[in-house]
């Protein structure tokens, strides 16, 4: 688990800004606790700082996941969002769309 480098951070924030606009700042500086982004095996995780500090005592070979997976970097360096990021994107997104339950079922199956 390591922090994102400059290029990875820029790519991540550009992708998040497409959906959230200027609300990306509120994703990091939340009112309840500070959060950060960490990279584990090409996947970006959104982790609270208290969980991150407590997970440093775990060996990196034994640590599979920590926090919520927002997406992953492809081999070409692009960032792809995962469906697990929808909870955070929906809170701070610019535009919101509501789906009927039947539309959700057609997406899932």
């Amino acid at each position: 688990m390591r922090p994102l480098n400059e290029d990875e951070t820029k790519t991540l924030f550009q992708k998040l800004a497409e959906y959230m606009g200027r609300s990306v700042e509120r994703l990091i500086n939340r009112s309840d606790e500070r959060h950060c982004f960490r990279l584990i095996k090409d996947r970006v995780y959104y982790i609270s700082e208290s969980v991150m500090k407590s997970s440093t005592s775990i060996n990196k070979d034994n640590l599979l996941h920590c926090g919520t997976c927002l997406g992953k970097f492809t081999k070409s360096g692009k960032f792809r969002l995962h469906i697990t990021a929808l909870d955070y994107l929906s809170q701070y997104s610019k535009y919101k769309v509501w789906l009927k339950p039947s539309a959700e079922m057609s997406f899932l199956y």
Side-chain angles (χ1 to χ4, degrees):
M1 179 168 64
R2 68 169 178 83
L4 301 173
N5 64 26
E6 204 171 306
D7 293 333
E8 293 167 343
T9 305
K10 183 179 176 185
T11 305
L12 173 67
F13 284 157
Q14 284 176 349
K15 180 62 94 169
L16 290 177
E18 288 178 20
Y19 297 100
M20 300 171 64
R22 295 183 178 204
S23 301
V24 177
E25 185 178 314
R26 287 192 285 165
L27 193 63
I28 299 170
N29 298 325
R30 292 176 43 173
S31 60
D32 54 349
E33 187 178 2
R34 289 185 53 102
H35 285 67
C36 59
F37 299 104
R38 290 290 184 248
L39 188 75
I40 304 173
K41 299 180 184 173
D42 292 335
R43 295 182 189 272
V44 176
Y45 290 91
Y46 182 63
I47 307 170
S48 67
E49 286 192 352
S50 62
V51 172
M52 183 194 63
K53 288 177 184 175
S54 63
S55 68
T56 56
S57 64
I58 300 171
N59 187 2
K60 79 173 193 177
D61 295 331
N62 296 334
L63 183 66
L64 296 176
H65 304 290
C66 184
T68 303
C69 182
L70 290 183
K72 72 176 210 170
F73 284 102
T74 62
K75 291 181 181 179
S76 62
K78 296 179 182 176
F79 183 74
R80 302 232 172 152
L81 287 170
H82 283 186
I83 197 162
T84 53
L86 285 177
D87 287 338
Y88 297 104
L89 289 177
S90 65
Q91 291 175 6
Y92 304 111
S93 64
K94 293 190 291 188
Y95 309 107
K96 297 183 190 263
V97 176
W98 285 268
L99 298 175
K100 295 180 181 178
S102 60
E104 288 179 12
M105 293 311 241
S106 66
F107 175 75
L108 291 174
Y109 298 109

